[in-house]
Amino acid sequence: MDANYFDLSDDTPVYVISVAAQLSGLHPQTLRQYDRLGLVSPGRTAGRGRLYSTRDIIQLREVQRLSQEEGINLAGIKRILQLENEALRLREEVHRLRAEMRMVRALIRYELPPGA
């Protein structure tokens, strides 16, 4: 058996649509609509069935909250999610670049003789 078989992350698609609907409190048809609109994009089985991750379930709940509590339409929600994903990507990039910069500075200090 593969050692990583049970190594699941929040991004691992494991929930079929009926379970995802129960966990998110939404109707399966709503989940299909959100997928068609690109609000939540679940993984797919070999037979093209939808498989949702824990992160997808959280995102489904957030879409519902923004729609119901904040009164934001689906196009607005899609844009909000895109901007949040881009902000996350940029934060990760900044973190990576800062680590790289620290490494370069350490190498420069190590390579240059004192007083040079």
Side-chain angles (χ1 to χ4, degrees):
M1 184 181 293
D2 186 353
N4 292 326
Y5 183 75
F6 293 106
D7 188 19
L8 303 176
S9 74
D10 286 347
D11 293 317
T12 305
V14 292
Y15 304 108
V16 295
I17 193 165
S18 59
V19 174
Q22 285 181 324
L23 292 172
S24 65
L26 299 170
H27 192 278
Q29 193 59 37
T30 304
L31 274 61
R32 289 183 190 96
Q33 178 187 17
Y34 288 176
D35 184 14
R36 279 192 301 277
L37 295 172
L39 293 170
V40 177
S41 300
R44 298 288 181 169
T45 66
R48 300 293 298 147
R50 292 170 174 87
L51 280 180
Y52 292 83
S53 68
T54 300
R55 193 171 315 279
D56 292 331
I57 303 298
I58 292 167
Q59 192 157 342
L60 287 166
R61 290 178 182 169
E62 179 65 3
V63 168
Q64 186 70 355
R65 186 192 72 75
L66 290 169
S67 174
Q68 298 296 315
E69 295 177 19
E70 304 295 332
I72 300 171
N73 66 27
L74 295 179
I77 292 171
K78 184 174 183 176
R79 186 66 180 135
I80 288 168
L81 295 176
Q82 288 170 337
L83 291 170
E84 286 178 347
N85 287 335
E86 180 66 6
L88 176 61
R89 189 192 67 75
L90 291 171
R91 280 193 300 272
E92 290 170 350
E93 178 77 2
V94 166
H95 179 73
R96 186 188 65 75
L97 290 171
R98 284 182 175 158
E100 190 175 309
M101 185 71 105
R102 282 191 299 275
M103 170 127 4
V104 168
R105 286 179 178 154
L107 287 171
I108 289 170
R109 280 193 300 271
Y110 178 77
E111 294 290 324
L112 291 178

